[in-house]
Amino acid sequence: MARSKPVAAKKNASNLFSRSKTFIKRNETHYITGLILLIIAVYAILSMISFFFTGAADQSKIEGLSLFHREAVQGIENWTGMRGAILSHILMNEWFGISSFFLLLFLVFLALRLMKAKYFHLLHDFIICAVLTIGLSVALEFFLGNILRETAFLIGGKHGSFLSNWLVTNLGTPGTLLIILLFLVIAMALITPKTIPFLIRLTAKKAKANVSEKPLPVEREYAFPEPVERIEAADEPEETNREMIIDVPVDDDIAEPDEPATETPVAIPLRQPKSGDEDEDDDLIAKLGPYDPTSDLSHYRFPSLDLLEKYETGDTQVNYEEQNENKNRIIKTLEHYNIRIKSIKATVGPTITLYEIVPEDGIRISKIKNLEDDIAMNLSATGIRIIAPMPGKGTIGIEVPNKDAKIVSMYSIIGSRKYRESNCELPIALGKTITNEVFMVDLTKMPHLLVAGATGQGKSVGLNAAITSLLYKKHPAELKLVLVDPKMVEFSIYSSIDKHFLAKLPDAEKPIITDFTKVIYTLNSLTKEMDDRYELLEKAGSRNVKEYNEKFINRRLNPLKGHRFMPYIVVIIDEFGDLIMTAGKEIELPIARIAQKARAVGIHMIIATQRPTTNIITGTIKANFPARIAFRVTSMIDSRTILDGSGANQLIGRGDLLFFQGSDMTRVQCAFVDTPEVDRIAKFIGSQQGYPTAHELPEYTGVEENAEKPGAVNLSNKDPLFEEAARLIVIHQQGSTSLIQRKFNIGYNRAGRLMDQLEAAGIVGPTQGSKPRDVYVPDEYQLEKVLASIP
């Protein structure tokens, strides 16, 4: 009993610390703390403003008193009372004078960040406010101290008065002026990154004026700029994977950084060469340095970690009782079928536990694989999957869902060391594996991604996670997104970043593409952009966009000859099935062409559908999308359509997914990023200065071109029976000319023209000889959408 008391006390202390830590991290705690600080800051600012009018009258009454003085002082004229008069006297006279306002400004920044009303980089802003407070107090006292000596306050405070006198005594007036000038340059360099380039140009002009002869050009090459680390966070302990019966992989310890994101390096603007001769490249490099594509938005700040929620799930310790119970049931079930095992090990993940078993010699693997349903029944669980054998291991894996699933937050993914130190060109951070490792892939190496799953299984969250991981890593100059949203509600939240990251047709009104006709035009415009980029690569003698951009950065390609920096373009289509059912080949053909060729020129695609059937995910699509993500589906047929095998029908939903590429298949719990988080990220980016317009794709005039072709169908002159014929075809799901003849009692020629118009509208497919045409529209609801989109 004596020993148990210290253990109990230690446990209670640990619980108290855990609860306190959870309380401090709550959003409510942050908001209330920020509100209190904001009220204090406003109160202090009002007291200082009042000091200018009432300081002289109050000085003799409150001089020498502290903020905690208990006795009341009568006759105080300061608007904020006795405490305000004392506080303003301390700030103005005892501390930094007028420059104390910068301390209160930082207090406002801190309050607003805690309240999540506006997001500031606290370390950066603190350094600016500190430099301005110290430098300005010295400058004011140096220049105006003697003039205002007889007034009620020290304009630079006692701090400024002391430092000013000390500097003059030790360095003299010229030395003090130089120190003040140094503080001014440091402050301006911190406030705007344009300060140093301006001073460099100014110095270069002065030096050039003093040089009588032109120096010889320096022959040298400039390497790629070092990649900028987008996220800063405190170091965390390395992940551990202890070999034991129950293996509990440890998460990365995510620490909230003081400065979540670094700013981009100082940019040196590009100056166009005065002539088209490539011989001037060496001179340009020597004079200007490498071209910085981010220079137009050199002040851009990357989203910070505090825009994301942590989703604390309380006690996340492993339930050893549950794991041992499942282990015993698995062993008992196998023994019931005369299958004995040598060993069993459990690896606990956020939502799934992997039990790895080693059967005794002579046991056939297929015998264990066939017991999938029996094990699921004995464990009273759904979503059980048997992997026989485990790739690269001599074991058989049995994946069992945890009773208490853990949310994998996007905060934990973006803040992880693996993501921060990644060198991927287009990182797609999906979530965590069963071993609690961050799962991340490079879209440039896939090079296109197909996402499929039933409604409500996490597909839209997965797309948001992919977009979020791109926005946290890439500068607007390096990445453009083409967002296609036939449902009109999934991607509308990204409208505010149109002048930073989105690309659209020149005449498009909205940055998010929702109209079926605009989708066709946009995809064909992307094929034109792809061809244009290939021409530029050929002229530059480059094999891919990375080599091309490297040459452009090193100023070896002349912009006057059409060369330009090429950002990556990622096309994301939310509901690919709706487009195929509505427009058919008009959608499928440009997608297939982009998927086949666009990898080398930096154009990549992510397409998603909630209808993983063979008429949506055709052989052409599957052949060009080797990387696929499958969320939970309802049948094995749908799973085979996506993954060429079973597995997706055995997932548990809520973000549980299988990533498939080549012959490798990985089970991942998708990171959860909620709509308010995405909204905060989009508003944070959208509130910053962007480009004048969204990135414009090449103009595509498909309608006019098609109208000039002989035999083209003009839908502006539709047959009066067009809509009735369309409804007839969709109801019967039979694209037959003879059916239209019989139902409407018309001749074959008119029925044929009607069928041609239906094909031009994307309602039926092309003729197939004696067979009926394919009907692309599944129901009358989709038909109304198609009819409404036809002019």
Side-chain angles (χ1 to χ4, degrees):
M1 294 296 292
R3 292 183 179 179
S4 62
K5 288 183 179 180
V7 174
K10 186 176 180 180
K11 185 176 180 180
N12 290 336
S14 176
N15 291 337
L16 178 62
F17 176 78
S18 177
R19 287 195 297 269
S20 301
K21 186 177 178 182
T22 302
F23 174 77
I24 292 172
K25 290 183 177 180
R26 290 176 58 186
N27 287 334
E28 294 85 352
T29 306
H30 289 177
Y31 186 88
I32 293 173
T33 304
L35 184 60
I36 293 172
L37 291 177
L38 183 62
I39 291 172
I40 293 172
V42 172
Y43 177 81
I45 291 171
L46 288 175
S47 72
M48 289 181 65
I49 294 173
S50 176
F51 182 87
F52 291 112
F53 306 100
T54 63
D58 293 340
Q59 188 173 16
S60 60
K61 302 171 186 175
I62 51 88
E63 193 167 10
L65 300 181
S66 73
L67 276 175
F68 306 101
H69 181 74
R70 295 185 178 181
E71 297 179 5
V73 178
Q74 302 299 324
I76 296 297
E77 296 185 16
N78 192 288
W79 306 335
T80 54
M82 182 187 74
R83 303 295 172 192
I86 297 173
L87 177 61
S88 62
H89 173 73
I90 292 173
L91 291 172
M92 296 292 286
N93 286 338
E94 301 293 329
W95 285 14
F96 301 97
I98 291 178
S99 60
S100 296
F101 276 107
F102 288 109
L103 295 179
L104 300 180
L105 180 63
F106 176 74
L107 192 62
V108 172
F109 290 167
L110 176 60
L112 293 177
R113 173 164 168 175
L114 286 172
M115 297 170 67
K116 288 185 166 49
K118 193 170 179 61
Y119 298 93
F120 298 94
H121 297 284
L122 293 183
L123 180 60
H124 179 262
D125 294 338
F126 174 76
I127 293 174
I128 291 177
C129 290
V131 170
L132 288 173
T133 301
I134 296 171
L136 188 61
S137 69
V138 174
L140 289 173
E141 192 63 32
F142 177 77
F143 290 110
L144 302 175
N146 291 330
I147 300 174
L148 302 175
R149 187 66 64 195
E150 302 300 323
T151 59
F153 69 96
L154 297 173
I155 192 168
K158 285 186 177 180
H159 172 273
S161 178
F162 171 78
L163 274 185
S164 175
N165 293 333
W166 187 89
L167 288 171
V168 171
T169 301
N170 289 275
L171 303 178
T173 300
T176 304
L177 285 172
L178 291 174
I179 294 296
I180 293 173
L181 180 62
L182 176 63
F183 267 92
L184 175 64
V185 172
I186 293 174
M188 292 304 298
L190 289 171
I191 292 172
T192 171
K194 295 181 181 180
T195 302
I196 301 301
F198 171 76
L199 293 176
I200 291 173
R201 290 196 299 270
L202 186 65
T203 307
K205 287 180 181 177
K206 296 291 184 181
K208 188 175 181 180
N210 296 328
V211 176
S212 58
E213 59 179 0
K214 182 179 178 182
L216 293 174
V218 179
E219 296 184 0
R220 55 176 175 170
E221 293 185 355
Y222 284 77
F224 251 124
E226 290 297 323
V228 182
E229 186 180 3
R230 307 306 192 195
I231 305 297
E232 292 181 1
D235 291 337
E236 59 272 346
E238 297 288 343
E239 295 180 355
T240 59
N241 191 11
R242 297 171 293 166
E243 292 293 329
M244 56 185 296
I245 288 189
I246 297 183
D247 187 7
V248 188
V250 179
D251 277 329
D252 278 350
D253 184 15
I254 306 300
E256 186 168 359
D258 292 329
E259 181 71 15
T262 60
E263 294 190 32
T264 52
V266 175
I268 302 176
L270 169 66
R271 297 178 184 175
Q272 300 289 357
K274 295 181 180 180
S275 68
D277 296 332
E278 297 292 338
D279 295 337
E280 296 186 1
D281 290 348
D282 289 342
D283 290 337
L284 283 172
I285 293 175
K287 291 177 182 177
L288 304 177
Y291 168 66
D292 182 4
T294 67
S295 59
D296 290 336
L297 298 181
S298 58
H299 60 284
Y300 176 78
R301 291 182 175 181
F302 290 86
S304 53
L305 266 180
D306 55 7
L307 297 172
L308 299 169
E309 296 289 344
K310 296 181 183 178
Y311 295 106
E312 298 290 343
T313 55
D315 186 9
T316 57
Q317 292 184 353
V318 175
N319 187 339
Y320 288 94
E321 183 179 348
E322 176 190 348
Q323 308 308 327
N324 285 319
E325 192 175 300
N326 287 342
K327 178 195 69 174
N328 294 332
R329 288 182 177 178
I330 291 172
I331 294 174
K332 185 177 179 180
T333 304
L334 295 176
E335 287 180 347
H336 182 73
Y337 291 94
N338 296 322
I339 300 174
R340 298 188 178 277
I341 62 174
K342 294 179 180 178
S343 64
I344 183 169
K345 185 185 80 168
T347 303
V348 183
T351 56
I352 300 293
T353 296
L354 172 65
Y355 295 89
E356 293 183 66
I357 64 173
V358 179
E360 289 188 352
D361 297 338
I363 302 295
R364 296 179 62 183
I365 292 178
S366 59
K367 191 174 182 181
I368 299 177
K369 180 70 175 174
N370 293 333
L371 297 177
E372 205 163 53
D373 294 335
D374 298 86
I375 295 173
M377 183 180 69
N378 286 338
L379 294 178
S380 302
T382 58
I384 288 181
R385 196 169 71 105
I386 294 181
I387 309 168
M390 291 283 292
K393 298 182 179 180
T395 60
I396 296 173
I398 303 175
E399 296 174 346
V400 181
N402 299 334
K403 290 181 181 178
D404 298 320
K406 177 184 175 184
I407 296 177
V408 176
S409 66
M410 201 67 198
Y411 179 94
S412 66
I413 303 299
I414 298 297
S416 67
R417 177 178 297 173
K418 184 174 183 179
Y419 178 85
R420 296 196 316 271
E421 297 178 354
S422 166
N423 292 321
C424 296
E425 291 293 324
L426 293 176
I428 303 293
L430 291 175
K432 290 188 177 181
T433 63
I434 291 176
T435 58
N436 264 338
E437 296 176 358
V438 173
F439 185 80
M440 186 170 63
V441 290
D442 190 348
L443 185 59
T444 61
K445 296 179 180 178
M446 286 194 263
H448 310 287
L449 180 62
L450 170 65
V451 182
T455 304
Q457 303 304 319
K459 177 173 56 66
S460 295
V461 173
L463 292 179
N464 284 330
I467 295 174
T468 299
S469 58
L470 290 173
L471 295 180
Y472 267 85
K473 269 285 187 181
K474 307 304 288 184
H475 188 278
E478 302 169 328
L479 172 68
K480 300 300 173 186
L481 301 174
V482 177
L483 301 182
V484 179
D485 183 14
K487 293 190 287 189
M488 305 183 187
V489 294
E490 294 295 341
F491 290 152
S492 59
I493 199 168
Y494 296 105
S495 297
S496 58
I497 65 171
D498 60 329
K499 294 181 180 180
H500 299 82
F501 283 102
L502 299 191
K504 62 184 182 67
L505 293 172
D507 60 341
E509 297 179 1
K510 299 178 181 179
I512 311 298
I513 305 161
T514 57
D515 182 76
F516 290 102
T517 305
K518 293 292 185 184
V519 175
I520 297 172
Y521 286 6
T522 302
L523 291 174
N524 283 282
S525 174
L526 285 166
T527 62
K528 189 174 186 303
E529 170 73 11
M530 177 183 70
D531 293 336
D532 292 345
R533 289 190 172 199
Y534 266 112
E535 289 181 7
L536 292 176
L537 258 65
E538 183 182 11
K539 291 179 181 178
S542 303
R543 294 178 300 172
N544 54 55
V545 69
K546 188 173 181 179
E547 290 183 6
Y548 177 90
N549 283 339
E550 183 176 1
K551 290 183 178 180
F552 190 84
I553 287 172
N554 290 327
R555 302 186 186 273
R556 295 176 185 165
L557 301 176
N558 193 338
L560 296 180
K561 294 185 177 180
H563 290 293
R564 54 192 167 89
F565 182 83
M566 296 183 191
Y568 285 103
I569 298 178
V570 178
V571 185
I572 304 177
I573 302 176
D574 179 48
E575 188 41 69
F576 173 68
D578 279 354
L579 300 179
I580 286 292
M581 300 303 292
T582 304
K585 295 294 182 182
E586 290 183 90
I587 293 289
E588 185 178 354
L589 292 178
I591 286 178
R593 187 160 180 261
I594 292 170
Q596 287 170 353
K597 292 184 60 180
R599 172 181 185 174
V601 292
I603 302 177
H604 305 272
M605 301 192 76
I606 301 175
I607 64 174
T609 181
Q610 62 185 12
R611 284 181 284 194
T613 54
T614 52
N615 61 331
I616 302 296
I617 304 177
T618 62
T620 304
I621 295 297
K622 289 177 69 174
N624 292 291
F625 285 79
R628 302 166 205 163
I629 290 176
F631 290 89
R632 186 173 184 269
V633 295
T634 55
S635 68
M636 186 179 292
I637 295 175
D638 290 345
S639 178
R640 292 185 185 278
T641 303
I642 308 167
L643 303 174
D644 298 326
S646 62
N649 56 310
Q650 298 166 313
L651 301 174
I652 62 173
R654 295 173 297 176
D656 190 18
L657 65 89
L658 289 172
F659 178 82
F660 172 79
Q661 186 172 17
S663 59
D664 297 329
M665 193 178 298
T666 308
R667 192 167 187 174
V668 179
Q669 178 60 39
C670 183
F672 180 69
V673 53
D674 205 0
T675 302
E677 298 175 76
V678 178
D679 186 49
R680 288 197 294 268
I681 295 169
K683 286 181 177 177
F684 176 83
I685 295 174
S687 65
Q688 303 182 57
Q689 181 182 353
Y691 297 101
T693 62
H695 182 80
E696 290 189 352
L697 299 171
E699 187 174 1
Y700 174 75
T701 53
V703 174
E704 292 77 9
E705 291 175 1
N706 291 338
E708 296 174 358
K709 295 178 182 179
V713 178
N714 186 3
L715 289 179
S716 62
N717 187 23
K718 299 189 293 291
D719 191 287
L721 293 175
F722 175 78
E723 292 191 5
E724 293 182 53
R727 292 188 179 91
L728 175 70
I729 293 298
V730 170
I731 290 172
H732 287 80
Q733 287 293 299
Q734 182 182 359
S736 170
T737 305
S738 59
L739 176 64
I740 296 178
Q741 277 185 276
R742 292 196 310 272
K743 290 295 182 181
F744 297 112
N745 195 22
I746 58 176
Y748 180 81
N749 289 338
R750 185 180 181 186
R753 286 195 298 272
L754 270 169
M755 191 60 73
D756 290 340
Q757 291 178 356
L758 293 173
E759 180 185 352
I763 297 172
V764 299
T767 181
Q768 303 182 80
S770 59
K771 295 182 180 179
R773 297 173 183 240
D774 292 332
V775 181
Y776 291 151
V777 181
D779 51 48
E780 290 186 82
Y781 174 74
Q782 293 291 337
L783 177 63
E784 294 303 322
K785 284 187 176 181
V786 176
L787 295 177
S789 66
I790 298 174

